[in-house]
Amino acid sequence: MADYQSQYSRAAGAGTMDASQDAGLRSYMLGVYNYMALGVAFTGIITLFLAANPQLMVTIAVGPAKWVVFAALLGMGFFAPRLIFSGGKAMAHGAYWLYAALWGVLISPMVAFFLQSAEGQQDIARAFFITAATFGAMSLYGYTTKKDLSGVGRFLMMAAVGLLVVLLIGVFVGFSSTFSLLFSCGVVLVFAGITAYETQMIKSMYYQMGSKEEQNRAAIFGAFALYGSFITLFIHILNILGIMNNE
């Protein structure tokens, strides 16, 4: 997390320049969103593959093995930014795609549960489109606003850490459906804000990267950051829809 935050801290000092006509910036941001979209698609493939193979899914995503996957995912969240910026190009890509694959493994039991019914399948589709709309709106805001979001972003990042602690506690003591609903609503609000913050910082990082190689690494890092927010939004929006439909 320290490495992840340090990249934002360095970028925050750059400010946000008016680059509506800057073809280089547009190309850079397009690369970020393309990488992110491919990561989401890759996660979907992994998730659907495991959902279609329940024995394999149970082996690696249910029971004690899920803790290994969860620990690996947290580890990638901490160390992938360092690998992206300090390792080779292959390592940068490997870190990103491994992160996307681990998310696919972790969420496969949840998605498989919703896939069991027609209503659940509709919830998945609705959750995806709501997530895409929320993410798109907040990312657009982060890209276009002239307001410095770094202060709000740091607060939201700390809130995200607090939510992670609550989630870990909930794994052991359990959540009621009401608390789970409120928790997911809180996560959605926090990560919607984080999406705007991340977009602004990713945009600012463009002006700090001198070479094309550095810009490519920044694009992968940007995709890594936005991908995590998108998947988190999707999971909790899906949870909200599932709880509301069961009440």
Side-chain angles (χ1 to χ4, degrees):
M1 181 63 73
D3 291 325
Y4 186 68
Q5 287 279 56
S6 67
Q7 299 299 334
Y8 286 136
S9 298
R10 287 196 290 271
T16 303
M17 298 174 63
D18 182 4
S20 61
Q21 302 300 319
D22 190 328
L25 176 61
R26 290 198 300 270
S27 176
Y28 162 76
M29 292 301 296
L30 182 61
V32 171
Y33 290 121
N34 283 342
Y35 276 129
M36 192 211 81
L38 288 172
V40 171
F42 183 57
T43 297
I45 291 171
I46 297 293
T47 301
L48 293 176
F49 172 78
L50 290 176
N53 295 272
Q55 289 185 336
L56 179 61
M57 182 181 69
V58 169
T59 300
I60 65 176
V62 180
K66 72 181 178 183
W67 295 110
V68 177
V69 176
F70 184 70
L73 186 64
L74 286 181
M76 290 303 300
F78 276 96
F79 295 112
R82 177 179 294 180
L83 296 176
I84 290 171
F85 280 101
S86 63
K89 183 177 180 179
M91 184 175 292
H93 278 278
Y96 177 63
W97 297 114
L98 177 59
Y99 186 65
L102 288 170
W103 266 115
V105 173
L106 191 67
I107 68 174
S108 59
M110 179 183 187
V111 173
F113 172 79
F114 278 89
L115 287 174
Q116 291 177 356
S117 66
E119 185 178 27
Q121 293 171 19
Q122 292 174 0
D123 283 342
I124 291 175
R126 282 195 290 265
F128 183 83
F129 286 114
I130 293 172
T131 301
T134 302
F135 176 90
M138 297 308 298
S139 190
L140 179 62
Y141 172 75
Y143 184 83
T144 57
T145 185
K146 302 300 181 182
K147 181 179 179 181
D148 182 6
L149 300 178
S150 58
V152 174
R154 285 190 289 270
F155 171 78
L156 291 173
M157 286 294 184
M158 290 188 291
V161 173
L163 288 171
L164 176 60
V165 173
V166 173
L167 175 63
L168 291 174
I169 294 173
V171 168
F172 294 101
V173 303
F175 283 166
S176 67
S177 60
T178 300
F179 188 85
S180 180
L181 177 63
L182 293 174
F183 178 81
S184 286
C185 289
V187 171
V188 169
L189 290 175
V190 168
F191 276 87
I194 286 176
T195 297
Y197 164 62
E198 288 173 336
T199 303
Q200 186 181 79
M201 293 301 100
I202 292 164
K203 179 182 177 181
S204 296
M205 287 177 68
Y206 170 77
Y207 299 104
Q208 300 299 293
M209 302 297 152
S211 67
K212 188 67 175 178
E213 175 67 21
E214 289 177 335
Q215 290 176 8
N216 288 337
R217 289 176 182 274
I220 296 173
F221 171 75
F224 171 88
L226 292 177
Y227 164 89
S229 294
F230 185 96
I231 292 297
T232 302
L233 285 170
F234 171 75
I235 292 169
H236 289 279
I237 289 173
L238 180 59
N239 186 52
I240 291 170
L241 293 177
I243 293 173
M244 293 178 64
N245 286 337
N246 287 329
E247 290 184 349

